[in-house]
Amino acid sequence: MNETSEGAGQNKVVKPYSGQDSSHSIVVAVVFLTCYAYIRLLDTLSVVPTHHNKYTWKQELVNVAQLRNASCLGSVNLKGRSLLTLKDFNSDEIKRLLWVSGDLKHRIKKENQYLPLLQGKSIAMIFEKRSTRTRMSTETGFALLGGHPCFLTSQDIHLGVNESSTDTARVLSGLCDIVLARVYSHSTLEELEKEATIPIINGLCDLYHPIQILADFLTLQEHYGKLDGLTVSWIGDGNNVLHSFMMTAAKLGVHLRIATPKGYGPEASVVQEAQRLSKLHGTQLVMTSDPMEAAKGSDVLVTDTWVSMGQEEEKKKRLKDFHGYQISNKTGSMANPDWTFLHCLPRKQEEVDDEVFYSPRSLVFPEAENRKWTIMGLMVSLLVDYTPQTKMPRF
């Protein structure tokens, strides 16, 4: 009998061995080893919680998440891709572009390193529209990386006029390594991309301005230390820059509040996609015609020209319709205390007053400089296999 005496007149039954105790022990051992491994990982990251430091478990989990994110972003490869719109790029791919851009900026500007990553390569820069920042950033950036930029105006190349876009794409594919095109119509870019065997970059078109948005988000990441959770308020025209914001913000965890006058809102198809992205990534998308409402609780106020190239005949009507949309400290009074301001330039005073534009809140000149570092980061990512040497920033 499996019995033992326990006290006077009491018996304790000892159950036969069933194997359950062994299974329980295994589970306990697995849990213990998992916890031990986690503690060792945290110790490796120098964030094990003790009374000697101020770290919290929440911060440690953030650090572990960053380690995972760095691993994910490290595996992203964009070589051979084109960039017509950031709609085609997912969250990790956009973050990878920002990481590479910041890495090049640090290594070249801060550490004075020479990085001829694009030595022996050339870029065709097609400009149907004039530009200061796009031309200078691309031309000087490509040269700084050891490559050869070729600037082509409408006097040098006649897309779809003297030579079809199809033939131009095929010719340039044999003469250079990459094309940046600043054009009137997005369809021109689509035709170039369809026929080319080399990457095509959208330098601006009627529908999107993706390289501007990369610079904007690099600027905000540098200023705030992260992007996730920020609120950006767009106050102005529903144009190509806004469209690119709408295709990108939610993927970076950024909330977007938009104010446009009636009749000047963004394209319906862009709105529909932005709503889908906002729902997918759990961000807020607010659309209104009240600038003060859009600025409420914002971290960043953004505007752009009210009269784009090709709209000069509409100037008088547009200035009337945009009355009340000038960004000023009054607009900023609705925003968060540490709000900042962005403008892709060139700027007119009716869009933002001098008090804001030249204030410490204005990030427009770092934003303009970052056009160079982000186009460099983009070109390197599309043309070569490059691994950032600096630590992944917090997004």
Side-chain angles (χ1 to χ4, degrees), residues 189-258:
L189 292 164
E190 291 177 325
E191 189 170 354
L192 287 172
E193 198 272 338
K194 179 182 177 182
E195 299 296 335
T197 58
I198 57 176
I200 306 295
I201 296 175
N202 179 358
L204 175 143
C205 68
D206 57 339
L207 198 56
Y208 298 112
H209 197 357
I211 58 176
Q212 177 63 53
I213 298 310
L214 291 175
D216 288 1
F217 279 120
L218 178 62
T219 304
L220 295 179
Q221 193 283 327
E222 290 175 335
H223 181 81
Y224 288 102
K226 68 168 189 172
L227 296 172
D228 185 56
L230 289 180
T231 298
V232 171
S233 294
W234 176 276
I235 299 173
D237 192 17
N239 63 13
N240 50 6
V241 179
L242 173 58
H243 288 168
S244 287
F245 260 119
M246 296 172 73
M247 294 298 97
T248 311
K251 297 173 185 177
L252 298 173
V254 175
H255 308 294
L256 197 55
R257 301 176 66 85
I258 300 168

Side-chain angles (χ1 to χ4, degrees), residues 130-391:
R130 65 184 182 276
S131 169
T132 299
R133 281 149 295 278
T134 302
R135 177 178 179 181
M136 286 298 297
S137 61
T138 307
E139 198 165 320
T140 61
F142 204 84
L144 186 58
L145 292 166
H148 181 73
C150 303
F151 181 67
L152 302 169
T153 70
S154 57
Q155 302 300 313
D156 304 303
I157 189 169
H158 300 268
L159 280 176
V161 180
N162 199 40
E163 186 170 30
S164 69
S165 297
T166 295
D167 291 356
T168 298
R170 293 179 180 182
V171 168
L172 291 179
S173 293
L175 297 176
C176 62
D177 300 279
I178 191 169
V179 172
L180 179 139
R182 185 177 173 93
V183 297
Y184 285 100
S185 174
H186 188 72
S187 61
T188 300
L189 292 164
E190 291 177 325
E191 189 170 354
L192 287 172
E193 198 272 338
K194 179 182 177 182
E195 299 296 335
T197 58
I198 57 176
I200 306 295
I201 296 175
N202 179 358
L204 175 143
C205 68
D206 57 339
L207 198 56
Y208 298 112
H209 197 357
I211 58 176
Q212 177 63 53
I213 298 310
L214 291 175
D216 288 1
F217 279 120
L218 178 62
T219 304
L220 295 179
Q221 193 283 327
E222 290 175 335
H223 181 81
Y224 288 102
K226 68 168 189 172
L227 296 172
D228 185 56
L230 289 180
T231 298
V232 171
S233 294
W234 176 276
I235 299 173
D237 192 17
N239 63 13
N240 50 6
V241 179
L242 173 58
H243 288 168
S244 287
F245 260 119
M246 296 172 73
M247 294 298 97
T248 311
K251 297 173 185 177
L252 298 173
V254 175
H255 308 294
L256 197 55
R257 301 176 66 85
I258 300 168
T260 56
K262 293 180 180 180
Y264 293 93
E267 294 280 343
S269 60
V270 175
V271 173
Q272 185 177 8
E273 176 64 10
Q275 290 172 334
R276 186 190 71 81
L277 290 171
S278 181
K279 183 177 181 180
L280 178 65
H281 294 279
T283 60
Q284 297 177 3
L285 176 64
V286 176
M287 302 189 67
T288 179
S289 58
D290 183 353
M292 301 301 280
E293 175 65 24
K296 189 179 297 182
S298 179
D299 299 296
V300 190
L301 303 182
V302 192
T303 193
D304 189 13
T305 180
W306 296 349
V307 185
S308 298
M309 283 181 278
Q311 298 174 335
E312 289 79 8
E313 293 182 1
E314 305 173 27
K315 182 175 181 178
K316 186 175 181 180
K317 182 178 186 303
R318 281 178 165 267
L319 291 179
K320 179 182 178 181
D321 292 344
F322 280 81
H323 178 72
Y325 274 73
Q326 183 192 53
I327 292 182
S328 64
N329 281 325
K330 181 181 178 181
T331 320
S333 68
M334 301 296 294
N336 288 333
D338 62 344
W339 64 274
T340 54
F341 173 75
L342 293 178
H343 192 302
C344 67
L345 305 177
R347 160 257 185 178
K348 302 292 189 299
Q349 195 166 21
E350 61 264 18
E351 300 150 7
V352 53
D353 65 17
D354 286 351
E355 193 173 2
V356 170
F357 188 77
Y358 292 110
S359 74
R361 296 184 182 278
S362 177
L363 303 179
V364 295
F365 298 113
E367 176 189 14
E369 180 191 341
N370 278 338
R371 288 289 306 276
K372 178 175 182 174
W373 301 112
T374 48
I375 194 64
M376 289 169 67
L378 176 61
M379 295 186 296
V380 165
S381 297
L382 302 185
L383 285 175
V384 299
D385 293 311
Y386 177 75
T387 301
Q389 301 302 300
T390 54
K391 180 181 177 182

Side-chain angles (χ1 to χ4, degrees), residues 62 65-66 69-70 73 91-103 214 217-222 224-230 249-254 388 391-395:
V62 167
Q66 285 183 304
N69 290 338
L73 296 190
S91 176
D92 284 351
E93 290 169 340
I94 296 170
K95 290 175 182 178
R96 170 76 180 201
L97 288 173
L98 295 176
W99 184 10
V100 172
S101 301
D103 176 83
L214 291 175
F217 279 120
L218 178 62
T219 304
L220 295 179
Q221 193 283 327
E222 290 175 335
Y224 288 102
K226 68 168 189 172
L227 296 172
D228 185 56
L230 289 180
K251 297 173 185 177
L252 298 173
V254 175
K391 180 181 177 182
M392 185 194 76
R394 186 178 177 188
F395 294 109

